Amino acid sequence: MPQRLMLLDTASLYFRAFFGVPDSIRSADGTPVNAVRGLLDMIARLATDYEATHLVACWDEDWRPQWRVDLIPTYKSHRVAEEVPGAPDVEVVPDALQLQVPMIRRMLGLAGIAVVGAAAHEADDVIGSYASHADLPVDVVTGDRDLFQVVDDARQVRVIYTARGMRNLEIVTDAVVVGKYRVLPEQYADFATLRGDASDGLPGVAGIGEKTAALLLAEYGTLDGLLAAAADPGSGLSAPVRSKLAASADYLEVAPVVVKVVRDLALPTLEEARALLRPVVGDSRVELERLATEWNLGGSVKRLLDALDLRP
């Protein structure tokens, strides 16, 4: 089997599992296990269908890093349940899902699936760093379109986009990004900066939507190129666009740093992280099978073990 790395936007997937699998599925003591079941099934299917040989469950060590908030205070602010000075803020997460996150971590550990996070960074940054430096083809699994910025046909990096559900997965390549947004993947972060994103608390430039942002980047190439044109009285940039950019000058000075994923984190190598998928044996397999019964995980554990048993 040719080598291929799969990078999971883990929180994106377990949120999708939680809302996609009935919460009536519970263990004997009444603890909900729908997110655990759903995530294990997702991993088994994804690893098999896309022939992953290596897999990293990328983790949000900090879902709302302070350095991003310092630049744009509204960043993800609508998702804050509690502010915690000197530590990551508490995210709004359903109690029934919060109970399952430690269970998910335990199952991933027993299955030998690498879990990698980085202090003061989001899973997106872990994904960006691995995807930018991997020497094998990469599949990024996410429901977050912000990660379209890492798509790169030349380096065989693509996104498996889950926004329409696991039955309607979309493989996102350079051509797909261009077809959807009329920008190249390497322009996507600048495009998102201009357009904004209410789901992340990014205001964007008032009066510049997707169509205008794409047209401007088609003409000027990058946000820096566009701002240079705005500063040049002799450029052909229209007065209304100059005015809109000027009104958002403070935002445009900091937003690119917030929107762009970090690509140079010092992370464990794939070998150090033990990202190579392999069969589960010994005590770990016994414990997984025991928990499958205790936690009422149905056939999810068996499907994951079967998928991993296909590995050498």
Side-chain angles (χ1 to χ4, degrees), residues 64 66 80 82-90:
R64 187 177 183 249
Q66 188 61 46
V80 176
E82 179 186 352
E83 294 187 357
V84 182
D89 292 334
V90 177

Side-chain angles (χ1 to χ4, degrees), residues 9-311:
D9 182 2
T10 314
S12 168
L13 296 183
Y14 66 61
F15 266 90
R16 177 164 294 279
F18 176 76
F19 289 107
V21 179
D23 63 5
S24 57
I25 299 175
R26 296 171 179 261
S27 65
D29 66 2
T31 303
V33 294
N34 53 329
V36 184
R37 268 203 194 192
L39 181 63
L40 296 183
D41 278 335
M42 287 179 183
I43 294 173
R45 177 188 163 187
L46 288 162
T48 300
D49 289 357
Y50 296 96
E51 300 183 328
T53 56
H54 298 68
L55 188 146
V56 178
C58 301
W59 205 262
D60 284 320
E61 290 296 334
D62 190 338
W63 68 278
R64 187 177 183 249
Q66 188 61 46
W67 58 270
R68 282 189 165 110
V69 176
D70 289 343
L71 294 172
I72 299 182
T74 58
Y75 182 65
K76 296 186 177 180
S77 59
H78 61 294
R79 290 157 54 184
V80 176
E82 179 186 352
E83 294 187 357
V84 182
D89 292 334
V90 177
E91 185 179 9
V92 176
V93 177
D95 291 343
L97 174 56
Q98 192 67 56
L99 286 171
Q100 298 181 66
V101 175
M103 302 168 75
I104 288 169
R105 286 294 299 253
R106 186 172 181 190
M107 299 303 284
L108 294 178
L110 288 169
I113 292 173
V115 177
V116 178
H121 287 84
E122 302 172 55
D124 286 10
D125 302 314
V126 177
I127 289 169
S129 296
Y130 275 127
S132 299
H133 300 284
D135 56 3
L136 62 164
V138 178
D139 285 330
V140 174
V141 185
T142 185
D144 185 353
R145 59 183 178 171
D146 288 345
L147 283 165
F148 290 174
Q149 64 187 279
V150 306
V151 170
D152 186 344
D153 283 3
R155 298 195 64 254
Q156 300 185 73
V157 178
R158 61 188 187 178
V159 164
I160 299 172
Y161 192 46
T162 65
R164 294 186 298 171
M166 291 298 292
R167 295 184 180 180
N168 296 287
L169 296 173
E170 181 178 14
I171 296 178
V172 179
T173 60
D174 287 10
V176 172
V177 176
V178 172
K180 282 179 177 288
Y181 302 107
R182 298 295 185 265
V183 296
L184 296 167
E186 58 263 33
Q187 296 174 306
Y188 189 85
D190 287 346
F191 169 77
T193 296
L194 289 166
R195 176 202 63 202
D197 190 339
S199 67
D200 280 340
L202 300 173
V205 176
I208 294 182
E210 287 195 356
K211 183 177 179 180
T212 302
L215 289 171
L216 291 170
L217 290 172
E219 184 168 357
Y220 297 102
T222 64
L223 178 59
D224 286 343
L226 173 60
L227 295 177
D232 178 6
S235 74
L237 191 64
S238 71
V241 171
R242 290 176 191 270
S243 177
K244 291 168 184 173
L245 294 173
S248 295
D250 290 345
Y251 163 78
L252 289 172
E253 185 175 351
V254 297
V257 178
V258 175
V259 174
K260 291 179 181 177
V261 299
V262 177
R263 295 175 180 258
D264 58 358
L265 290 175
L267 299 173
T269 66
L270 297 182
E271 183 176 2
E272 289 168 343
R274 296 181 61 82
L276 180 67
L277 293 174
R278 49 176 64 82
V280 182
V281 297
D283 292 343
S284 293
R285 191 178 189 105
V286 171
E287 181 66 0
L288 273 174
E289 291 172 340
R290 186 188 71 79
L291 289 175
T293 300
E294 180 181 325
W295 289 353
N296 187 29
L297 297 177
S300 298
V301 168
K302 183 180 186 305
R303 285 186 285 273
L304 179 61
L305 289 172
D306 288 347
L308 296 175
D309 283 344
L310 298 174
R311 271 60 194 177

